[in-house]
Coordinates of all heavy atoms in Angstrom, one line a residue:
K1 N 97.8 100.4 103.0 CA 96.4 100.7 102.8 C 96.1 102.2 102.7 O 95.4 102.6 101.6 CB 95.5 100.1 103.7 CG 94.0 100.2 103.5 CD 93.5 99.4 102.3 CE 92.0 99.4 102.2 NZ 91.6 98.7 100.9
F2 N 96.6 102.9 103.5 CA 96.5 104.3 103.5 C 97.0 104.9 102.1 O 96.4 105.8 101.5 CB 97.2 104.9 104.6 CG 97.1 106.4 104.8 CD1 96.0 107.1 104.8 CD2 98.4 107.3 104.7 CE1 95.9 108.5 104.9 CE2 98.2 108.7 104.7 CZ 97.1 109.3 104.8
E3 N 98.3 104.5 101.9 CA 98.9 105.1 100.5 C 98.0 104.6 99.4 O 98.1 105.3 98.3 CB 100.3 104.7 100.5 CG 101.0 105.4 101.7 CD 102.6 105.4 101.3 OE1 103.1 105.0 100.2 OE2 103.4 106.0 102.2
D4 N 97.5 103.4 99.4 CA 96.7 102.9 98.3 C 95.6 103.8 98.0 O 95.2 104.1 96.9 CB 96.2 101.4 98.4 CG 97.3 100.4 98.3 OD1 98.3 100.8 97.8 OD2 97.0 99.2 98.8
I5 N 94.9 104.2 99.2 CA 93.8 105.2 99.1 C 94.2 106.4 98.6 O 93.4 107.1 97.7 CB 93.2 105.3 100.5 CG1 92.4 104.0 100.9 CG2 92.1 106.5 100.6 CD1 91.9 104.1 102.2
L6 N 95.4 107.0 98.8 CA 96.0 108.3 98.4 C 96.0 108.3 96.8 O 96.0 109.3 96.2 CB 97.4 108.5 99.1 CG 97.4 108.9 100.5 CD1 98.7 109.2 100.9 CD2 96.4 110.0 100.8
E7 N 96.2 107.2 96.3 CA 96.2 107.1 94.8 C 94.8 107.3 94.2 O 94.8 107.7 93.0 CB 96.7 105.6 94.3 CG 98.1 105.4 94.8 CD 99.0 106.1 94.0 OE1 98.8 106.6 92.9 OE2 100.3 106.1 94.3
N8 N 93.8 107.3 94.9 CA 92.5 107.3 94.3 C 91.6 108.4 94.9 O 90.4 108.4 94.5 CB 91.8 106.0 94.4 CG 92.5 104.9 93.6 OD1 92.6 105.0 92.4 ND2 93.1 104.0 94.2
V9 N 92.1 109.3 95.7 CA 91.3 110.3 96.3 C 92.1 111.7 96.1 O 93.2 111.7 95.9 CB 90.9 110.2 97.7 CG1 90.1 108.9 97.9 CG2 92.3 110.1 98.7
E10 N 91.4 112.8 96.3 CA 92.1 114.0 96.2 C 92.5 114.4 97.5 O 91.9 114.3 98.6 CB 91.0 115.1 95.6 CG 90.8 114.9 94.1 CD 90.2 116.1 93.5 OE1 90.1 117.2 94.2 OE2 89.8 116.1 92.3
C11 N 93.8 114.9 97.6 CA 94.4 115.4 98.8 C 95.3 116.6 98.5 O 96.3 116.5 97.7 CB 95.1 114.3 99.6 SG 95.9 114.9 101.1
D12 N 94.9 117.7 99.1 CA 95.9 118.9 98.8 C 97.0 118.8 100.0 O 96.8 119.5 101.0 CB 95.1 120.2 98.9 CG 95.8 121.3 98.2 OD1 97.0 121.2 98.0 OD2 95.0 122.3 97.9
F13 N 98.0 118.1 99.7 CA 99.1 118.0 100.6 C 99.7 119.3 101.2 O 100.4 119.3 102.3 CB 100.1 116.9 100.1 CG 99.6 115.7 99.6 CD1 99.4 115.3 98.4 CD2 99.6 114.7 100.7 CE1 99.0 114.1 98.1 CE2 99.2 113.4 100.3 CZ 98.8 113.2 99.1
W14 N 99.7 120.3 100.4 CA 100.3 121.4 100.8 C 99.6 122.5 101.6 O 100.1 123.4 102.1 CB 100.7 122.3 99.5 CG 101.0 121.4 98.2 CD1 100.5 121.5 97.0 CD2 102.0 120.4 98.2 NE1 100.9 120.5 96.3 CE2 101.9 119.7 96.9 CE3 103.0 119.9 99.1 CZ2 102.7 118.7 96.5 CZ3 103.8 118.9 98.6 CH2 103.7 118.3 97.3
D15 N 98.4 122.1 101.9 CA 97.4 123.1 102.6 C 97.2 122.5 104.0 O 96.7 121.5 104.3 CB 96.1 122.9 101.8 CG 95.0 124.0 102.3 OD1 95.4 124.8 103.3 OD2 94.0 124.1 101.8
L16 N 97.6 123.6 104.9 CA 97.4 123.2 106.3 C 96.0 123.3 106.7 O 95.6 122.8 107.9 CB 98.2 124.2 107.3 CG 99.7 124.0 107.2 CD1 100.4 125.1 108.1 CD2 100.1 122.6 107.4
K17 N 95.1 123.6 105.9 CA 93.7 123.7 106.2 C 92.9 122.9 105.2 O 91.7 123.1 105.0 CB 93.2 125.2 106.1 CG 93.8 126.0 107.2 CD 93.3 127.5 107.2 CE 94.0 128.2 108.4 NZ 93.4 129.6 108.4
R18 N 93.5 121.8 104.7 CA 92.9 120.9 103.6 C 91.7 120.3 104.3 O 91.6 120.1 105.6 CB 94.0 120.0 103.2 CG 94.5 118.9 104.1 CD 95.2 117.9 103.4 NE 95.8 116.9 104.4 CZ 95.3 115.9 105.0 NH1 94.0 115.7 104.6 NH2 95.8 115.1 105.8
E19 N 90.9 119.6 103.4 CA 89.7 118.9 103.8 C 90.4 117.4 104.2 O 91.5 117.0 103.7 CB 88.8 118.7 102.7 CG 88.0 119.9 102.2 CD 87.1 119.7 101.2 OE1 86.8 118.5 100.9 OE2 86.4 120.7 100.8
K20 N 89.6 116.9 105.1 CA 90.0 115.5 105.6 C 89.9 114.5 104.4 O 89.1 114.6 103.5 CB 89.2 115.0 106.6 CG 89.5 115.8 108.0 CD 88.4 115.3 109.1 CE 88.7 116.2 110.3 NZ 87.8 115.9 111.3
I21 N 90.8 113.5 104.2 CA 90.9 112.5 103.1 C 89.6 111.5 103.3 O 89.3 111.1 104.4 CB 92.1 111.8 103.2 CG1 93.3 112.6 102.9 CG2 92.0 110.6 102.1 CD1 94.7 111.8 103.2
D22 N 88.9 111.4 102.1 CA 87.8 110.5 102.2 C 88.3 109.1 102.2 O 88.7 108.5 101.2 CB 86.9 110.7 101.1 CG 85.6 109.8 101.1 OD1 85.6 108.9 101.8 OD2 84.7 110.2 100.2
L23 N 88.5 108.5 103.4 CA 89.2 107.2 103.5 C 88.4 106.0 103.0 O 89.0 104.8 102.9 CB 89.5 106.9 104.9 CG 90.5 107.9 105.6 CD1 90.6 107.8 107.0 CD2 91.9 107.8 104.8
Y24 N 87.2 106.2 102.7 CA 86.4 105.1 102.2 C 85.7 105.2 100.8 O 84.8 104.5 100.4 CB 85.1 104.8 103.2 CG 85.7 104.5 104.7 CD1 85.8 105.5 105.6 CD2 86.2 103.3 104.9 CE1 86.5 105.2 106.8 CE2 86.9 103.0 106.1 CZ 86.8 103.9 107.2 OH 87.4 103.6 108.4
K25 N 86.2 106.2 100.1 CA 85.8 106.5 98.8 C 86.6 105.5 97.9 O 87.7 105.1 98.0 CB 86.4 107.9 98.4 CG 85.8 108.3 96.9 CD 86.1 109.8 96.7 CE 85.7 110.1 95.3 NZ 86.1 111.6 95.0
R26 N 85.9 105.0 96.8 CA 86.4 104.2 95.8 C 86.4 104.9 94.4 O 85.4 105.4 94.0 CB 85.5 102.9 95.8 CG 85.8 102.1 97.0 CD 87.2 101.6 97.2 NE 87.3 100.9 98.5 CZ 87.7 101.4 99.6 NH1 88.0 102.6 99.7 NH2 87.8 100.6 100.7
G27 N 87.5 104.6 93.7 CA 87.6 105.3 92.3 C 87.9 106.7 92.5 O 88.5 107.2 93.5
G28 N 87.7 107.5 91.4 CA 88.2 108.9 91.4 C 89.6 109.0 91.0 O 90.3 108.0 90.9
S29 N 90.1 110.2 90.9 CA 91.5 110.5 90.7 C 91.9 111.7 91.2 O 91.2 112.6 91.6 CB 91.6 110.6 89.0 OG 90.9 111.6 88.5
H30 N 93.2 112.0 91.3 CA 93.8 113.3 91.8 C 93.9 114.2 90.9 O 93.9 114.1 89.6 CB 95.3 112.9 92.1 CG 95.4 112.2 93.4 ND1 95.1 112.8 94.7 CD2 95.8 110.9 93.6 CE1 95.3 111.9 95.6 NE2 95.7 110.8 95.1
N31 N 93.8 115.6 91.3 CA 94.3 116.7 90.4 C 95.7 116.4 90.1 O 96.5 115.9 90.9 CB 94.1 118.0 91.3 CG 94.5 119.1 90.5 OD1 95.7 119.4 90.3 ND2 93.6 119.9 90.3
G32 N 96.0 116.9 88.9 CA 97.5 116.6 88.5 C 98.6 117.3 89.4 O 99.6 116.7 89.6
N33 N 98.2 118.3 90.1 CA 99.1 118.9 91.1 C 99.2 118.2 92.3 O 100.0 118.5 93.2 CB 98.7 120.4 91.2 CG 99.0 121.3 90.0 OD1 99.9 120.8 89.1 ND2 98.5 122.3 89.9

C-alpha cells in the first residue's frame, strides 16, 4: 500500500530534509526525477 502511494505523490528520495509523504493524497504525479 505504501509503494502504491509512492506512485502518486511527490517524494524527494535523495533529500535528508525532505517533506513528509502525504499518505492520504489521491491522484497527482511525481516529478520526473
Side-chain angles (χ1 to χ4, degrees):
K1 179 68 173 177
F2 178 65
E3 293 198 3
D4 285 345
I5 289 174
L6 291 181
E7 294 286 350
N8 295 294
V9 298
E10 290 195 7
C11 178
D12 200 346
F13 296 97
W14 330 120
D15 188 357
L16 291 182
K17 297 182 179 180
R18 67 171 173 83
E19 294 183 3
K20 295 175 183 177
I21 297 170
D22 186 347
L23 296 168
Y24 300 97
K25 182 177 180 180
R26 296 293 178 266
S29 61
H30 283 286
N31 178 289
N33 290 340

